[in-house]
Amino acid sequence: MKEPARILVVGGGYVGMYTALHLQRKLRRGEAQVVVVDPEPYMTYQPFLPEAAAGSISPRHVVVPLRRILPKCHVVIGEVTSIDHAGRTAHIKTLAAEEEGTGTIDIHYDELVLAPGSVSRTLPVPGLADFGIGFKTVEEAIGLRNHVLEQLDIASSTRDPAVRDAALTFVFVGGGYAGVEALAELEDMARYAARYYHNIEPGDLKWILVEATDRILPEVGPEMGRYAVRELRGRNIDVRLETRLDSCEDRVAVLSDGSRFPTRTLVWTAGVKPHPVLAATDLPRNERGRLTCAADLRVEGVEHAWAAGDAAAVPDLTSPEPGKECAPNAQHAVRQARVLAENILASLRDRPLKNYEHAYVGSVASLGLHKGVAHVYGRKLKGYPAWFMHRAYHLSRVPTFNRKARVLAEWTLAGLFKREIVSLGSLENPRAEFELAAGTGRHPEAS
């Protein structure tokens, strides 16, 4: 009897989760085993991170448990450190392997799907590694929310004007989706929270958006990008175009236009780069470090290796521009996952493969509560209609009916009741209180 093929899916994000989901639905009994490897036991729906940071959505509802949605797959929580595709072997570091001191475990496979996603792209800016805050994971989003609210507490209780000014200055670097939506949502939240502080006015808060190019939100087009700038500036947000962050040493943001802003909050959202695991494989990559793929999502020149999403350079067959690649965004990733799964099934069953072909339909972006911009199917929307479309689109795309219902319920309740403005910063060090009680020396002055 023929052994079932083993399909190894590296990554549990958009591409990895949806590919495994389609495979578990379509595979015949005993045809193949699907193994999904990811460092986290959940998939994060990243478009909802800004709303999670603002408190509009519970963090639990921004993530989808992999084991629940993939019951027919074998989910391994670990990090792939390297892949020997010639030997069909992936080397994986798991929590158990760390505890046992055994290093890594090896998983052998017949078909490989590489979908590890991307990581934040940082630059050698002095002080960035020490003081920068990312915005790519749910942990970072919730940590940033707690941090912003803590700055209001610091500003309210200090008598030092320099400390107060630094606490109330918030610098965001990067004018793409992540930076603009995170800033807009958090500014909304902080402005609302300021009403509960007797000595802080909304006008005391200083918000600065730094973008190296001449526009923000390039995905929604130049006209909507200019509208977004006007909207943000109308809310007293300082938008600096064609400006770079030169340094943030000693908690002072120094910009390329000569401006200096003492700040305790510097959020870095200036782009992403391919996951480092791609460099630890024997698979071909392009000059930007992404896997070189054919239109059918096979890695070029290699058998039994597939890729899609942020990790893959996939030709855009709908573009009139020769050599153009699909943008590494969620819209393409979800659709590529379906084609990828169908092609793996076709390969196992000796059937012809089909190419990925999808015309980009447009983009939507939130600029805070009841404000947004959209450019969809050639139509341009702004204000409330764009914000409503943003919510409706992402509600339709978030995986599982369970999550859709919970998110919709939270939005409904948020419209009926006041915002939550509680900071739970102690969550980041949950043992602090017990250490203090146990006298471990965390506060030597305590008896």
Side-chain angles (χ1 to χ4, degrees), residues 92-332:
I92 301 169
K93 181 170 63 177
T94 66
L95 293 176
E98 288 184 9
E99 289 291 328
E100 296 166 357
T102 54
T104 60
I105 63 172
D106 293 344
I107 291 184
H108 302 281
Y109 59 84
D110 299 292
E111 301 285 341
L112 172 68
V113 177
L114 264 174
S118 56
V119 297
S120 296
R121 182 189 66 205
T122 59
L123 297 175
V125 176
L128 179 61
D130 298 319
F131 302 113
I133 303 171
F135 196 79
K136 194 164 173 57
T137 68
V138 67
E139 293 85 358
E140 288 175 327
I142 304 313
L144 181 57
R145 169 187 168 80
N146 291 332
H147 174 84
V148 168
L149 291 172
E150 284 173 359
Q151 301 316 301
L152 299 184
D153 290 333
I154 291 171
S156 176
S157 57
T158 185
R159 295 184 178 181
D160 186 329
V163 172
R164 175 186 167 90
D165 288 347
L168 296 180
T169 300
F170 306 92
V171 179
F172 285 66
V173 182
Y177 278 126
V180 172
E181 292 191 338
L183 182 149
E185 291 284 354
L186 285 165
E187 189 272 341
D188 250 357
M189 179 200 72
R191 182 160 28 87
Y192 176 87
R195 69 179 66 179
Y196 296 100
Y197 292 82
H198 71 281
N199 56 353
I200 296 179
E201 297 294 330
D204 296 338
L205 280 65
K206 185 183 297 181
W207 298 83
I208 302 152
L209 177 63
V210 180
E211 169 55 39
T213 67
D214 61 352
R215 61 177 177 167
I216 64 172
L217 297 174
E219 297 88 353
V220 298
E223 182 182 339
M224 291 295 96
R226 289 191 292 270
Y227 167 80
V229 170
R230 291 196 302 271
E231 169 69 25
L232 294 176
R233 286 174 173 167
R235 289 158 57 180
N236 205 30
I237 295 171
D238 186 354
V239 181
R240 304 279 179 118
L241 301 178
E242 298 183 279
T243 307
R244 298 179 310 279
L245 176 70
D246 285 345
S247 169
C248 57
E249 290 182 300
D250 302 322
R251 294 189 182 276
V252 178
V254 181
L255 307 185
S256 59
D257 61 6
S259 304
R260 296 171 58 88
F261 297 100
T263 178
R264 295 175 55 86
T265 309
L266 190 136
V267 183
W268 181 268
T269 61
V272 296
K273 63 181 180 180
H275 195 284
V277 73
L278 301 184
T281 72
D282 50 354
L283 300 172
R285 296 178 294 139
N286 66 9
E287 66 279 1
R288 292 187 299 279
R290 299 166 73 193
L291 295 172
T292 307
C293 290
D296 58 11
L297 303 177
R298 288 183 296 181
V299 178
E300 282 194 344
V302 181
E303 295 292 325
H304 308 293
W306 313 76
D310 292 355
V314 179
D316 186 353
L317 300 184
T318 65
S319 173
E321 183 181 335
K324 187 173 177 60
E325 298 170 356
C326 294
N329 56 37
Q331 187 178 141
H332 281 301

Side-chain angles (χ1 to χ4, degrees), residues 18 20 80 141 165 209 215 229 254 305 350 354 388 412 420 435 446:
Y18 278 111
V80 176
D165 288 347
L209 177 63
R215 61 177 177 167
V229 170
V254 181
D350 295 320
K354 63 179 180 179
F388 184 83
T412 303
E420 291 291 344
E435 288 176 353

Side-chain angles (χ1 to χ4, degrees), residues 408-445:
L408 183 59
E410 287 196 307
W411 282 342
T412 303
L413 292 173
L416 298 174
F417 301 102
K418 294 180 179 180
R419 282 179 183 260
E420 291 291 344
I421 56 166
V422 176
S423 166
L424 297 175
S426 58
L427 288 174
E428 294 160 34
N429 187 9
R431 292 195 66 245
E433 187 66 25
F434 184 78
E435 288 176 353
L436 182 61
T440 58
R442 177 173 172 267
H443 293 294
E445 69 277 11

